[in-house]
Amino acid sequence: MKFRNFKMVDYVVYGRGSFNQLDEIIAPHRKEGRPMIFLVDHFFSAGSGGQNNSLLNRIPLKGKDKIVLADVTHEPKTSYVDKLSQQLKEEFGTVSGIIGIGGGSTMDLAKAVSLMMNNPGSSADYQGWDLVKFPGVYKAGIPTLSGTGAEVSRTTVLTGPAKKLGMNSDFTPFNQIILDPELTANAPSDQRFYTGMDCYIHCIESLQGTYLNEFSKSYGEKALELCRKVFLQKKEWDNESDDQLMMASYAGGMSIAYSQVGVAHAVSYGLSYLLGTKHGIGNCIVMNHLEEYYPEGVKEFKCMAEKNKVDIPEGICRGLSNEQFDTMINVSLGMKPLWENALGKNWEKIMTKEKLRALYEKL
Ligand code: NAD
Ligand code: ZN
């Protein structure tokens, strides 16, 4: 038995208003003549962003520092990562660091752009496990949505020309994360639910998985308890809910760092590849039909959706061709570790193509 020796985030600060320490935190990482790049979710661009609009004004710009707005209309593509890093190389040569401020998509972009500042070729060349050759430039992640666990993970999920797969490596985790729950206030309740359910589903898949050990279990149970508090037990959403969901996301991410996700993620990857369904909502669409695999979890998930008045879309696979079903089935069955975690070593005997087709037809 070989145990995984995994790289974690170097520094973590947590607290309401901790964003104000950004200037001080990044100061030691500024290099003479090289700017800091703040990659900010386009939600916060002037004219949108609601009460958080002033976030752009709170960014501690110095010298040639630059704010780059991340277009997260679609989930990150390798072509977009290549374009952003190429532009920075042309404009500045190199930079002091990349500070990603936004949801899971922006955090993944920040990690990937940081790596591509120091690695040759295209980010598509590094989709896989431990293919990245050199450390990236300094990178910090500041989440504005809670749930994905992207703030702690050693991957960045990217859609490339041939596959949807992350740049998994020891160089991928952030050097610094700033967990300031104030930044998640005012997120629309549907978005908050879909991203929050990513965390809930991470917990169920990790805790019911065959890869579970006490490390994953400890984090998974805590994250699950926090998800239950915010999505089931509370009367109304309040500041404490933002605090709790941010820690749930962190703990949920730590739980899967030492185990794996499962059926909902494996099936949702197929939807995302073929139909461009986003991660959070895609996981919810699948989870809604997984009674056979996670009976208790699915029951509780449905209660959470009802209590938070969120409708989970139905019928998204209606009218697809055989070829399209096959594409989703092949993408999904390619996620071997997820299936093995969910169903055990004999998973291929359990999850046949026919069985998976029947499941996709239900969605
Ligand atoms: P997201 O980052 O895709 O953002 C969803 C929407 O919310 C966007 O329109 C964004 O502009 C907006 N938004 C962001 N912050 C907001 C705020 N405070 N208020 C209102 N709107 C806000 O959503 P997500 O669910 O956080 O992330 C999903 C992405 O994360 C996917 O690309 C997925 O692949 C990735 N992911 C990565 C990992 C990992 O380990 N690296 C794990 C899970 C998911
Ligand atoms: Zn997820």
Side-chain angles (χ1 to χ4, degrees):
M1 175 92 182
K2 191 151 186 255
F3 298 98
R4 197 177 305 158
N5 182 13
F6 63 89
K7 170 78 174 64
M8 300 193 355
V9 168
D10 298 340
Y11 287 88
V12 183
V13 55
Y14 170 85
R16 297 199 145 253
S18 56
F19 183 80
N20 295 333
Q21 282 166 236
L22 179 58
D23 191 14
E24 184 189 321
I25 286 170
I26 61 179
H29 304 283
R30 289 181 175 282
K31 297 199 171 104
E32 188 68 34
R34 299 181 187 178
M36 274 294 174
I37 305 303
F38 299 88
L39 187 62
V40 184
D41 194 308
H42 66 172
F43 171 75
F44 297 101
S45 63
S48 59
Q51 288 175 28
N52 261 327
N53 214 350
S54 56
L55 191 69
L56 288 188
N57 301 325
R58 293 170 62 199
I59 292 177
L61 293 173
K62 300 252 158 71
K64 287 193 293 175
D65 286 0
K66 187 171 180 178
I67 293 176
V68 176
L69 291 175
D71 181 349
V72 294
T73 316
H74 305 287
E75 294 192 340
K77 294 192 170 64
T78 52
S79 53
Y80 189 41
V81 170
D82 294 349
K83 186 176 135 202
L84 289 171
S85 50
Q86 201 51 43
Q87 279 171 353
L88 292 175
K89 284 180 198 168
E90 278 164 21
E91 191 171 351
F92 302 109
T94 185
V95 301
S96 285
I98 310 281
I99 317 296
I101 306 173
S105 297
T106 306
M107 285 191 284
D108 274 359
L109 280 171
K111 291 198 248 184
V113 171
S114 150
L115 293 172
M116 290 317 294
M117 293 306 290
N118 287 347
N119 283 277
S122 160
S123 49
D125 305 337
Y126 305 107
Q127 286 181 280
W129 279 269
D130 302 305
L131 303 173
V132 181
K133 294 191 183 75
F134 305 108
V137 297
Y138 175 80
K139 52 183 161 343
I142 309 179
T144 65
L145 286 173
S146 295
T148 65
E151 63 278 21
V152 289
S153 76
R154 83 190 281 279
T155 189
T156 82
V157 185
L158 300 176
T159 305
K163 51 195 164 194
K164 181 174 180 193
L165 190 59
M167 296 164 82
N168 293 265
S169 84
D170 281 351
F171 300 127
T172 309
F174 283 116
N175 299 105
Q176 171 81 53
I177 54 176
I178 297 182
L179 304 178
D180 181 347
E182 256 174 29
L183 304 182
T184 64
N186 311 315
S189 55
D190 276 20
Q191 183 64 57
R192 190 166 62 199
F193 182 81
Y194 295 137
T195 304
M197 282 303 110
D198 192 17
C199 175
Y200 176 76
I201 295 168
H202 289 160
C203 296
I204 300 298
E205 291 178 322
S206 170
L207 292 169
Q208 310 269 306
T210 61
Y211 289 180
L212 189 68
N213 62 15
E214 202 56 41
F215 184 101
S216 290
K217 196 171 160 203
S218 308
Y219 282 108
E221 284 177 349
K222 187 67 202 180
L224 188 60
E225 178 195 318
L226 292 167
C227 285
R228 286 179 175 146
K229 278 190 181 146
V230 301
F231 289 115
L232 271 185
Q233 292 158 9
K234 287 211 167 190
K235 279 216 175 72
E236 274 179 23
W237 197 271
D238 57 11
N239 283 349
E240 192 189 41
S241 316
D242 283 318
D243 296 353
Q244 289 171 329
L245 192 56
M246 189 160 267
M247 283 320 298
S249 176
Y250 178 91
M254 289 299 290
S255 177
I256 46 173
Y258 223 133
S259 60
Q260 244 315 340
V261 285
V263 182
H265 276 74
V267 177
S268 149
Y269 262 86
L271 294 178
S272 144
Y273 189 82
L274 183 78
L275 306 171
T277 316
K278 293 194 164 186
H279 189 84
I281 194 166
N283 286 343
C284 288
I285 290 170
V286 181
M287 189 67 176
N288 215 14
H289 294 277
L290 292 186
E291 288 90 348
E292 188 179 340
Y293 308 94
Y294 307 116
E296 297 298 314
V298 173
K299 208 165 134 200
E300 191 169 56
F301 165 80
K302 289 184 187 226
C303 290
M304 288 177 172
E306 197 185 315
K307 165 137 198 307
N308 293 275
K309 301 187 180 63
V310 177
D311 287 325
I312 310 298
E314 298 268 0
I316 65 159
C317 291
R318 229 169 264 153
L320 294 181
S321 66
N322 284 335
E323 202 184 328
Q324 287 175 312
F325 275 111
D326 284 344
T327 303
M328 292 194 294
I329 290 167
N330 289 335
V331 168
S332 179
L333 292 179
M335 314 298 293
K336 294 186 167 53
L338 283 66
W339 289 111
E340 188 181 287
N341 176 47
L343 305 174
K345 291 227 179 298
N346 284 329
W347 67 268
E348 278 164 306
K349 296 218 171 62
I350 305 169
M351 188 44 80
T352 58
K353 286 196 170 187
E354 295 68 38
K355 187 139 196 207
L356 187 51
R357 164 89 188 229
L359 176 53
Y360 273 120
E361 280 178 7
K362 275 204 247 169
L363 306 179

